[in-house]
Amino acid sequence: MFTTSRYLMVAVFSFVCTYQTASAQWAYIPNFSDNNVSVIDLDSLRVIAKIPVGKAPFGVWCVPEKRKVYVANAFSDNISVIDALTNTVEATIQAGDGPAIPCYQNEKIYVPNTNDHTVSIIHAITGETEHVISVGKRPASIHLTPDGRKCYVANTVSDDVSVINLSTKRVERTIPVGDEPNFITANPKTNHLYVANLTSNDVSIINTINNTVEATIPVHLGPIVISVSPDGQNIYVSNCFADTVNVINAHTYKMVATIKVGENPTGICITPDGTKIGVANQWDGNFMVIDAQTYAIIATIPLGGRPTAAGSFFMPK
């Protein structure tokens, strides 16, 4: 899939709804070198299952209303579909060359293909590829607007974000950002997107009303993944070269805290109730659960196999 190790850390965000209490969650964490997915119970803080998938699983997208988990396998060029009721793979769907992180909306799976420089739109039921759209160089992650009209794609080598009109299936605009944008996500309460720029060590803030960068926030070395609190107040940035998570106020853009985590943190998500933060530390081979109020580490759970968890990894029980 990727030509250098840093391209193995691309990520995308998704927001997960809940059916029971928001704290009753499982975490689905892909282990890149073990070719499996660890399922963690956030109540007992232990691994309850390991699910074999394809080669080099990296990106993950949980769909609670369908009880499905989509896992992109970077080296086998496919998507494993996990049934969250049985924790087994129920289907394998072909993707492009080097799929990064899959996203789901309205029975469609959207997949950035890093080596093809494309985004595939795949029917979630039939598994058929319906459209392939050319974007920038080495697309890493995607944000879909809730209305289904736009798809924003972070392109790591062309240092920009492609804006796809999903009615025409064409790129209608390209937004320059920082160096090696690996990740893009949205604030659920505002018109802002956040882009993690790996080698310029900053976060670009895009205003979706005019599709321009309105601010750039400096962070620690190697920002790779971003999660936003459900109330839209805080931005959490995992920094893979600094082994930290920066907490940024979403209104003032000021850094309010820094959390020391494990070595090479990649995936980061906050639970839907905003009480816990999950961080996958790739080189330490573990998963940390952090209190979102005090920033104290609640637990460190051994996983092994280079856990990545780029994307949305929480699923309500």
Side-chain angles (χ1 to χ4, degrees):
M1 175 187 175
F2 309 104
T3 56
T4 62
S5 62
R6 66 189 178 195
Y7 291 123
L8 300 176
M9 299 182 292
V10 294
V12 74
F13 167 85
S14 71
F15 181 74
V16 183
C17 300
T18 181
Y19 295 106
Q20 302 178 11
T21 62
S23 59
Q25 301 284 318
W26 288 325
Y28 286 79
I29 309 300
N31 298 299
F32 188 85
S33 62
D34 282 352
N35 301 327
N36 62 26
V37 173
S38 296
V39 185
I40 301 169
D41 186 329
L42 252 62
D43 291 328
S44 65
L45 298 173
R46 64 184 183 89
V47 176
I48 61 170
K50 284 198 174 182
I51 307 167
V53 290
K55 294 179 180 179
F58 185 78
V60 58
W61 180 282
C62 290
V63 184
E65 66 272 19
K66 299 293 184 179
R67 308 305 294 170
K68 307 292 184 192
V69 182
Y70 296 94
V71 178
N73 304 301
F75 293 167
S76 51
D77 298 336
N78 55 29
I79 307 294
S80 296
V81 184
I82 296 173
D83 183 338
L85 297 175
T86 63
N87 281 334
T88 59
V89 173
E90 66 174 23
T92 301
I93 299 172
Q94 189 64 36
D97 188 356
I101 300 116
C103 301
Y104 175 95
Q105 189 178 77
N106 299 328
E107 304 292 357
K108 309 289 185 186
I109 308 166
Y110 296 78
V111 185
N113 302 300
T114 304
N115 295 334
D116 283 346
H117 317 300
T118 62
V119 170
S120 297
I121 303 177
I122 302 169
H123 196 285
I125 296 175
T126 66
E128 296 296 321
T129 298
E130 297 183 339
H131 301 279
V132 177
I133 304 166
S134 294
V135 290
K137 293 180 180 179
R138 291 191 174 274
S141 66
I142 290 174
H143 170 71
L144 299 167
T145 57
D147 60 11
R149 295 182 178 180
K150 306 287 184 185
C151 174
Y152 291 80
V153 186
N155 305 300
T156 60
V157 170
S158 52
D159 297 337
D160 55 29
V161 171
S162 299
V163 185
I164 299 173
N165 183 318
L166 290 177
S167 295
T168 63
K169 307 296 188 298
R170 295 179 180 274
V171 174
E172 65 178 18
R173 186 159 186 166
T174 300
I175 307 169
V177 289
D179 297 338
E180 289 189 54
N182 273 266
F183 184 95
I184 187 166
T185 189
N187 190 311
K189 302 296 184 180
T190 70
N191 295 313
H192 294 112
L193 299 176
Y194 307 119
V195 182
N197 302 305
L198 184 71
T199 54
S200 54
N201 305 315
D202 52 32
V203 173
S204 298
I205 301 175
I206 296 174
N207 187 323
T208 58
I209 294 176
N210 55 21
N211 283 330
T212 59
V213 174
E214 69 174 29
T216 301
I217 308 172
V219 293
H220 288 184
L221 293 176
I224 184 70
V225 183
I226 303 172
S227 187
V228 183
S229 60
D231 62 7
Q233 297 298 309
N234 288 321
I235 307 164
Y236 302 90
V237 184
S238 62
N239 304 295
C240 64
F241 301 148
D243 303 336
T244 60
V245 170
N246 294 144
V247 185
I248 298 166
N249 184 295
H251 301 289
T252 65
Y253 300 155
K254 300 295 184 182
M255 193 180 300
V256 297
T258 294
I259 309 167
K260 182 66 176 176
V261 292
E263 188 175 0
N264 197 239
T266 50
I268 182 170
C269 274
I270 187 165
T271 54
D273 64 354
T275 62
K276 296 182 180 69
I277 306 164
V279 179
N281 299 302
Q282 186 172 185
W283 298 129
D284 278 347
N286 62 34
F287 179 78
M288 284 181 170
V289 181
I290 301 168
D291 188 303
Q293 302 303 313
T294 66
Y295 305 133
I297 295 171
I298 298 170
T300 300
I301 303 166
L303 299 180
R306 294 178 61 188
T308 52
S312 162
F313 51 71
F314 285 128
M315 171 75 77
K317 292 184 181 179

